[in-house]
Amino acid sequence: MFRLLARRLALIVPTFIGVTLLGFLLIHSIPGDPVEVRVGERGISPERLAYFRHELGLDQPLWKQFLDYQGQLLQGDLGRSVVTQESVWTEFKTFFPATLELAACALAFAIIVGLPLGVMAAVRRGSALDYGLIGLSVTGASMPIFWWGLMAILVFSVSLGWTPVSGRIDELFYIEPRTGFLLIDSWLSGEPGAFRSAVRHLVLPAIVLGTIPLATIARMTRSAMLEVLGEDYVRTARAKGLAPGRIVVVHALRNALIPVVTVLGLQVGALLGGAILTETVFAWPGVGHWLVESVQRRDYNVLQGGTLLIAVLVMLVNLGVDVLYGVLNPRLRR
Amino acid sequence: MSATVAAPGAGLFRRLLENPGAVAGLTIMVVLIVVAAAAPLIAPYGPAEQFRESFLTPPFQQAAFPLGTDSLGRDILTRLIYGARLSLLIGLIVVALSLTVGTLLGLAAAFASGVLDVAIMRLMDVLLVFPSLLLAIVVVAILGPGLTNAMLAVAVVLLPGYVRLARAAALGELAREYVVATRSAGAGVLRLMLLVVLPNCAAPLIVQATLGFSAAILDAAALGFLGLGAQPPTPEWGTMLADALQFYQRAWWLLTFPGIAILVTVMAFNLLGDGLRDALDPKLRR
Amino acid sequence: MTTLLDVQNLTVDFGPFHAVEGIDLTVAAGEVLCVVGESGSGKSVSMLAVMGLLPRTGRVAAERVAFRGADLLHASPRGRRRLIGRDMAMVFQEPTTSLNPCYPIGWQIAEALRAHAAVPRAAIRGRVVELLGQVGVPAPEQRMRAFPHQLSGGLNQRAMIAMAIACDPALLIADEPTTALDVTVQKGVLDLLVGLQRDRGMGLVLITHDMGVVAETAQRVQVMYAGQVMEEQPAEPLFAHPRHPYTAALLDALPERAEGKPRLPTIPGVVPGAEDRPAGCLFAPRCRFRTPHCDAERPALRMAFGARVRCHYPLDDAGNPTGRPA
């Protein structure tokens, strides 16, 4: 088990370097540097520009800049936002809990609904439920998520008035940001109606964001279950006279979960990508929204730092999934 | 000695037609191609033509504007039709680009093995770490917004899939006897790669390409929506949705129709790709 | 002798394909019945149908399927589940894939005990160890924690046998239990099965394609071909005087009987599939004694020389077909 972990960790290092290198090269290939934007300022002379350049280390050869950058990274310094002058890391810490809350709820929704649906569709193969599921999941996987979000707002918020249009919570509430997760914080604050407001704001974005993972999980579970249900050991379980429910859950699902878990891991990347669009549509103050704005504001430090952080996050999740896979599949142990 | 070519032929087509989803996808695809090709003939107006007396006309009310008009008085139906042309073009270019480069890289990795193989695969690992939309955004941020750059960005995002697929398929073929025999007979590497190994790897690549079409259209639309892709007044469906952001609460048709267009197109290619995958898979379970 | 299993006129169809046609079968307590035939003869399918283990595409019809007098064919699913695994048990051909890879073998054996409440909870672990010992698994306390992929085929098969006999079944069906095992291990497992049957007085249905196995174990033999019973009689007379040309050909193909011959006899042709079933006798295309009458009319199962034979011209003691026009 630990050897598995160590091997995976060792693989992460070159990927990490590659990721930072890619980010570094990409950003530095953007024409113009942070100093050039100051060319038109009053009192700017070539000497002062050169001084600023030197200050920022921009006159060093590229490889040295990269090494310096790596050193900075390892010390946890991701640079500063060109627009707000805040440290990128601080800004990320501010916005990340919102995204995490949204993504976690979306994933929970996808699993809670998708897994049982997939199991039932496999058990009742060829039924209306089965075809319905396949149809829905193809549709769900083919929808542009930003369109789905806007349509959902149109129907549920504007027409039916069930949910609010945007934001995380009604503006009249001020909630002490203890954990950064509004669901928890609003509950803890004890303010009447705060928690309910937070939930109402979360429902629609979570469902919209979770739709594509739902479709994928349901499909994956269905096909994994179909495969497993045809295996010899399921027949043996039936030959033992076990109840059908037990066979499905204890014998079949346990094995079917193995490929499903790997798919779950992949969903995290999809969730983060989808979060970018969902947050834009719902004006959700998370990391995705922050990154999109950084592109529009040409805040390249934020783009570079934020992208790097997300990449690291994805790598860690992949590592976690690998480990989980090793736990679930006894054939990999020892 | 004859090579065992996984024959995409009559049997495949028959199996494909047995799949109702694939038939639907194929039909829609054909319709789209016809619509796109005949756009100037079918569309009532030009895509940038503005009718200043008819801003934000609702659909199904005037025969002149069956699907309504947008905030600048442009006919939605016309823009959708021209958008079809654009989307198909986007899919084609993106897939062609990523398929070609990806397959070459994958084959090179499989054949060269050693350091080149490791380098290419590590590079692909790095690309795969980023969520696809984020990577596309970063690429577009560097290159600047616009349709061409968006296509390039999406091609980069889809690249690792083809590289891995081509490499895996090629490695599988390389181990087979007919390849070893041809190699020892002195066949050149390039010839071996392109003429002998490639045709046998075709099947999964074709499936991936079809599914890549739909991914390309979705990602390009997403970039358009974020303002990073096709720029107005280009009638790309995603860009049309970006236009709709301001007015959609008053004018639901600005939002609905371009979205449905994307949905139907992407679904068609997904169904077709799934159908191809099932038809090409010998382990088909009934 | 009490009849455990009584099957009359069993038919199994997969769509238009008749996998099993009109099988009659009885097994008494303490009796060993061998069902023998080539691949595609329907021998496994018929037993799976009796146990209710066929996939959904298989349709089962019969005049009677009864276990200890109780109707099994129209039993409720719950009623059937009470019998299966407890009073009737089955062992399958591929031991390693027939065990769930995610759970240790001890747990899977215990599950059978728990499902039928055969043993009080506290005694389950002890019983599992005892069972593993009875089937000849060395160091059972350690082995019971092992996963199937960690054990050899032979050990897995013994574990599966332990699982099958856990609740003391009256009837055990073994579907080609040794076919997938190494030759060196086969005899041990076979001996185990026969020993267990004898010690516990179980009825044993042993399905196999290997006449050598039949010779070692059977008391009564049923020969199947293309979904039909071709011959049925006690073992000794069958080996001495086979009544059906197919049985004779199977015996001739045994290496032990081929001594002195320059070549090992084989049966030319293949078992008919779904598309090429003859109108007449199903074996006729491959039969040495084929006549036009055989091709025209399908023989019924009838008594001849004290055996049940499905042939127009059953063989006499000398091995010649009786009543056959020259």
Side-chain angles (χ1 to χ4, degrees):
Chain A
M1 248 282 269
F2 290 113
R3 256 186 300 156
L4 188 76
L5 196 65
R7 254 186 296 136
R8 291 286 186 269
L9 272 175
L11 280 176
I12 280 191
V13 172
T15 313
F16 179 78
I17 296 181
V19 166
T20 55
L21 182 62
L22 196 68
F24 177 82
L25 286 176
L26 287 180
I27 299 301
H28 276 261
S29 62
I30 297 177
D33 59 31
V35 176
E36 269 185 34
V37 298
R38 307 182 66 178
V39 165
E41 270 178 35
R42 259 190 347 174
I44 285 286
S45 63
E47 293 81 29
R48 279 197 70 87
L49 283 176
Y51 172 71
F52 287 133
R53 280 222 172 79
H54 184 72
E55 273 274 306
L56 292 171
L58 289 172
D59 51 355
Q60 305 271 25
L62 210 61
W63 60 266
K64 188 150 194 311
Q65 287 191 46
F66 179 61
L67 283 177
D68 287 340
Y69 179 60
Q70 284 280 18
Q72 274 183 295
L73 283 181
L74 291 173
Q75 288 172 18
D77 177 12
L78 282 149
R80 294 191 165 276
S81 159
V82 170
V83 174
T84 67
Q85 300 304 313
E86 280 282 342
S87 136
V88 167
W89 174 240
T90 314
E91 288 207 339
F92 184 81
K93 270 195 303 181
T94 320
F95 291 115
F96 186 61
T99 305
L100 186 59
E101 195 177 29
L102 179 62
C105 291
L107 192 60
F109 165 69
I111 295 176
I112 291 173
V113 176
L115 210 63
L117 272 183
V119 170
M120 281 197 289
V123 169
R124 292 182 217 280
R125 186 191 188 165
S127 67
L129 174 71
D130 191 13
Y131 285 120
L133 179 80
I134 299 178
L136 272 177
S137 73
V138 172
T139 311
S142 312
M143 279 196 296
I145 192 174
F146 50 96
W147 176 76
W148 170 218
L150 287 172
M151 291 293 281
I153 292 179
L154 252 191
V155 172
F156 295 107
S157 305
V158 176
S159 300
L160 294 173
W162 288 355
T163 56
V165 171
S166 65
R168 289 180 85 189
I169 198 167
D170 280 338
E171 278 137 16
L172 17 127
F173 293 110
Y174 173 72
I175 306 294
E176 187 75 41
R178 260 176 280 194
T179 59
F181 299 116
L182 256 182
L183 283 182
I184 303 177
D185 287 344
S186 62
W187 182 262
L188 290 176
S189 78
E191 285 218 29
F195 180 69
R196 188 162 170 276
S197 176
V199 169
R200 280 183 76 225
H201 279 79
L202 188 54
V203 166
L204 206 55
I207 291 180
V208 166
L209 181 58
T211 304
I212 294 182
L214 170 68
T216 313
I217 289 174
R219 253 190 126 180
M220 199 55 218
T221 307
R222 174 187 174 275
S223 68
M225 278 298 283
L226 279 179
E227 182 128 359
V228 166
L229 284 172
E231 293 281 355
D232 285 346
Y233 53 84
V234 169
R235 186 179 58 180
T236 308
R238 288 166 66 199
K240 287 204 289 198
L242 299 175
R246 186 181 169 85
I247 296 179
V248 165
V249 174
V250 173
H251 285 264
L253 189 57
R254 176 78 174 70
N255 280 278
L257 273 181
I258 296 173
V260 172
V261 160
T262 34
V263 165
L264 272 181
L266 291 174
Q267 292 311 304
V268 173
L271 275 174
L272 288 172
I276 294 177
L277 293 166
T278 314
E279 288 177 13
T280 306
V281 165
F282 286 92
W284 190 266
V287 165
H289 194 219
W290 177 58
L291 284 173
V292 168
E293 281 204 339
S294 77
V295 174
Q296 289 158 352
R297 298 192 294 194
R298 304 214 185 296
D299 194 345
Y300 293 123
N301 277 348
V302 165
L303 185 62
Q304 178 182 28
T307 309
L308 179 63
L309 284 168
I310 290 189
V312 168
L313 187 68
V314 171
M315 282 195 281
L316 287 175
V317 168
N318 286 344
L319 180 68
V321 168
D322 276 343
V323 168
L324 186 62
Y325 186 81
V327 166
L328 280 179
N329 189 350
R331 276 178 278 214
L332 290 184
R333 290 190 222 165
R334 207 160 304 157
Chain B
M1 182 203 283
S2 57
T4 47
V5 184
L12 168 70
F13 203 59
R14 204 179 356 105
R15 274 199 302 279
L16 195 64
L17 289 178
E18 283 172 18
N19 183 338
V23 172
L26 196 59
T27 319
I28 296 176
M29 192 182 95
V30 168
V31 167
L32 276 170
I33 293 177
V34 167
V35 165
L41 302 170
I42 307 179
Y45 315 100
E49 236 182 286
Q50 296 183 22
F51 296 91
R52 294 178 197 279
E53 311 86 42
S54 312
F55 295 143
L56 294 178
T57 334
F60 313 130
Q61 283 184 8
Q62 297 182 32
F65 309 114
L67 293 181
T69 60
D70 66 12
S71 61
L72 293 178
R74 297 177 292 204
D75 176 38
I76 302 260
L77 180 61
T78 310
R79 304 199 85 216
L80 282 184
I81 292 176
Y82 276 94
R85 192 177 247 208
L86 214 53
S87 290
L88 285 181
L89 204 66
I90 291 172
L92 205 62
I93 294 178
V94 167
V95 167
L97 208 58
S98 48
L99 181 64
T100 326
V101 176
T103 308
L104 281 174
L105 277 179
L107 286 177
F111 271 79
S113 67
V115 179
L116 186 62
D117 185 12
V118 171
I120 291 179
M121 292 319 285
R122 292 272 126 238
L123 183 62
M124 292 305 123
D125 284 342
V126 167
L127 282 181
L128 279 173
V129 161
F130 299 95
S132 42
L133 187 61
L134 189 58
L135 185 60
I137 290 177
V138 169
V139 174
V140 170
I142 295 158
L143 298 173
L147 186 54
T148 357
N149 293 337
M151 288 198 281
L152 208 61
V154 177
V156 168
V157 165
L158 295 180
L159 194 63
Y162 296 105
V163 174
R164 283 192 161 182
L165 211 57
R167 177 178 174 275
L171 282 179
E173 292 298 311
L174 278 176
R176 306 254 233 110
E177 289 163 358
Y178 76 91
V179 173
V180 176
T182 321
R183 253 182 156 165
S184 50
V189 169
L190 202 64
R191 177 194 166 87
L192 187 69
M193 214 162 76
L194 295 176
L195 295 180
V196 175
V197 174
L198 184 58
N200 286 327
C201 308
L205 285 173
I206 292 175
V207 173
Q208 186 83 348
T210 315
L211 295 173
F213 224 92
S214 48
I217 295 177
L218 271 179
D219 286 341
L223 287 173
F225 176 71
L226 291 173
L228 298 172
Q231 298 294 301
T234 321
E236 196 263 317
W237 293 332
T239 315
M240 285 170 75
L241 287 172
D243 289 343
L245 258 183
Q246 277 183 292
F247 301 102
Y248 77 97
Q249 294 193 24
R250 284 190 274 154
W252 57 268
W253 57 96
L254 293 182
L255 183 65
T256 315
F257 296 127
I260 292 182
I262 300 177
L263 172 61
V264 167
T265 309
V266 172
M267 203 155 66
F269 281 99
N270 276 342
L271 285 172
L272 188 58
D274 282 345
L276 273 173
R277 187 201 286 132
D278 286 342
L280 286 168
D281 184 355
K283 296 188 292 127
L284 185 62
R285 281 179 187 265
R286 283 238 138 263
Chain C
M1 279 211 293
T2 40
T3 306
L4 286 177
L5 186 64
D6 183 15
V7 177
Q8 285 174 26
N9 203 7
L10 173 71
T11 305
V12 180
D13 299 316
F14 291 94
F17 175 56
H18 305 295
V20 174
E21 260 184 79
I23 301 285
D24 292 333
L25 190 142
T26 52
V27 187
E31 179 181 35
V32 179
L33 169 71
C34 270
V35 178
V36 67
E38 290 171 273
S39 309
S41 55
K43 51 194 198 300
S44 296
V45 173
S46 50
M47 287 296 111
L48 286 172
V50 166
M51 291 279 285
L53 292 175
L54 285 177
R56 259 191 289 175
T57 46
R59 278 183 324 108
V60 179
E63 264 172 46
R64 184 171 162 75
V65 178
F67 180 75
R68 279 182 174 158
D71 182 10
L72 208 52
L73 193 59
H74 304 108
S76 70
R78 181 163 289 183
R80 180 181 287 244
R81 284 201 302 272
R82 262 200 292 270
L83 283 176
I84 308 287
R86 194 187 65 175
D87 300 321
M88 287 171 68
M90 193 158 176
V91 173
F92 300 97
Q93 180 173 344
E94 300 272 357
T96 310
T97 57
S98 295
L99 291 169
N100 195 321
C102 288
Y103 300 104
I105 57 167
W107 183 94
Q108 300 190 43
I109 300 175
E111 191 186 27
L113 292 168
R114 282 191 300 262
H116 298 284
V119 161
R121 296 229 142 206
I124 286 187
R125 193 180 174 285
R127 181 99 176 97
V128 171
V129 174
E130 186 189 335
L131 281 166
L132 283 174
Q134 282 177 357
V135 296
V137 171
E141 294 93 354
Q142 282 88 2
R143 282 295 204 285
M144 66 185 271
R145 285 198 297 266
F147 290 92
H149 68 275
Q150 295 170 323
L151 299 174
S152 69
L155 279 180
N156 276 327
Q157 190 61 290
R158 289 172 190 266
M160 200 157 51
I161 294 173
M163 201 161 67
I165 64 169
C167 300
D168 279 322
L171 176 68
L172 179 65
I173 303 173
D175 186 2
E176 307 230 36
T178 56
T179 308
L181 301 176
D182 285 340
V183 166
T184 48
V185 175
Q186 280 180 7
K187 186 163 182 357
V189 173
L190 262 182
D191 287 345
L192 171 67
L193 275 173
V194 171
L196 284 171
Q197 182 269 332
R198 198 183 44 231
D199 295 339
R200 290 157 171 257
M202 291 189 297
L204 175 64
V205 178
L206 186 55
I207 303 169
T208 180
H209 64 269
D210 187 345
M211 287 302 270
V213 168
V214 178
E216 304 242 350
T217 57
Q219 290 166 357
R220 208 155 47 88
V221 183
Q222 197 180 66
V223 181
M224 281 186 69
Y225 183 78
Q228 291 181 332
V229 175
M230 290 293 159
E231 180 171 349
E232 183 175 341
Q233 55 169 329
E236 267 191 52
L238 183 113
F239 278 88
H241 304 294
R243 299 300 171 194
H244 195 283
Y246 180 53
T247 317
L250 281 178
L251 289 171
D252 280 344
L254 281 175
E256 297 86 356
R257 296 199 172 198
E259 284 184 46
K261 297 204 183 112
R263 307 176 89 203
L264 189 64
T266 57
I267 311 177
V270 290
V271 179
E275 268 105 61
D276 48 354
R277 285 176 92 79
C281 171
L282 291 174
F283 183 64
R286 306 168 75 186
C287 182
R288 240 190 321 159
F289 306 113
R290 179 188 196 175
T291 71
H293 180 49
C294 298
D295 287 326
E297 194 185 312
R298 209 169 265 194
L301 197 62
R302 56 195 175 90
M303 296 296 292
F305 305 101
R308 289 163 78 207
V309 197
R310 190 185 296 269
C311 184
H312 291 304
Y313 313 108
L315 306 177
D316 60 20
D317 286 0
N320 299 315
T322 50
R324 179 176 181 270

